[in-house]
Amino acid sequence: MILLFSKNKMTASLLSSVLLIGLLAPVASAKITTARATIDIGSIGSSKYYVDWDAKTANSGQPRIQVSANVYFNSVKKDSDDKYGAGSVTISNSLSASNSVRGKWEINSTHREYDGTGKRTDIDTDYDSVQWDPAAARSLSGKNSIENDVLSEIKDSFAFDLDNFAFFRAVEVSSSHVSDSLKDIVVTVMDNQREGDIMPFVFVDESSEEAYILEKKADGTNQVTFIGVDEDGSWEVHEKVEKEGKSLK
């Protein structure tokens, strides 16, 4: 997703006035102008193929910007990276995968901008996916069954009743309608995951001001992050609880 903002046409006198004001006033932060994530199937060999991904953040040259990305295959984390800079920042990588396993590659990218004091002034997210579905593949995608099994196990182990909660997969946080403060928490959970962890699942109940992030770690541990709303109306983490769970095969 690329957001483009057209430049205003100014007369010479108006431009001079603006420049004069700019010299007298403190530097203001601009909005993020580019927030993009892409993932594609690259070259294919006899027994493997390559997945190319990248994510880019750009603004109009104001203070620091950051881009981070998390990549999943069939809901299992495979890669991540982040980078700070100014003006324009890009991260990228190429991953090797077996061409005998069908599945879905997904990328979530988060783009942040900060002013000179380090305060975050803008945030955006983007999502992209690509399906690997060769006719000769011997193994069907296990994404749906993995997610269903993991969710069922975690709900049972913590005795959760989440029937009234809205649900979304963390990697698709960019298409959710939650506030930036909750998006921050979801992205932080993804950033802290390690390779082999299962993608987080998010449950939100706006009316009761409650939210849960459910995770399964690569070693089988089940983890739940309990989230609520503070006095200022922002979402905040209350606690994290872990329980021993079934190991992933």
Side-chain angles (χ1 to χ4, degrees), residues 13-180:
S13 59
L14 179 58
L15 179 59
S16 299
S17 300
V18 171
L19 291 175
L20 178 61
I21 294 173
L23 292 175
L24 299 176
V27 176
S29 181
K31 289 291 185 181
I32 292 172
T33 56
T34 300
R36 184 199 71 214
T38 60
I39 189 163
D40 298 291
I41 300 297
S43 59
I44 302 172
S46 59
S47 62
K48 62 184 178 182
Y49 63 95
Y50 293 92
V51 179
D52 301 317
W53 66 263
D54 70 86
K56 179 178 180 179
T57 298
N59 63 7
S60 58
Q62 297 295 331
R64 307 284 287 179
I65 54 177
Q66 176 195 17
V67 57
S68 63
N70 292 286
V71 177
Y72 296 86
F73 178 63
N74 286 344
S75 302
V76 179
K77 186 167 182 176
K78 293 297 184 181
D79 201 12
S80 63
D81 198 7
D82 70 278
K83 186 177 181 180
Y84 287 86
S88 178
V89 180
T90 301
I91 54 177
S92 62
N93 200 10
S94 182
L95 305 174
S96 175
S98 169
N99 67 9
S100 65
V101 181
R102 292 181 184 176
K104 187 176 185 180
W105 288 93
E106 300 174 274
I107 182 172
N108 167 273
S109 64
T110 303
H111 313 263
R112 298 182 179 94
E113 179 189 68
Y114 305 90
D115 64 16
T117 68
K119 178 183 177 181
R120 197 195 72 205
T121 54
D122 197 15
I123 183 174
D124 204 348
T125 54
D126 195 25
Y127 167 84
D128 194 25
S129 66
V130 61
Q131 185 80 25
W132 174 251
D133 192 19
R138 296 184 296 274
S139 301
L140 296 177
S141 168
K143 180 176 73 69
N144 291 333
S145 61
I146 287 176
E147 292 186 359
N148 292 337
D149 291 346
V150 168
L151 283 172
S152 179
E153 182 196 342
I154 298 177
K155 288 179 182 179
D156 290 344
S157 64
F158 286 91
F160 279 150
D161 180 6
L162 300 174
D163 291 342
N164 295 324
F165 284 70
F167 164 77
F168 65 88
R169 303 162 68 244
V171 74
E172 297 173 328
V173 66
S174 58
S175 61
S176 67
H177 300 292
V178 298
S179 65
D180 285 349

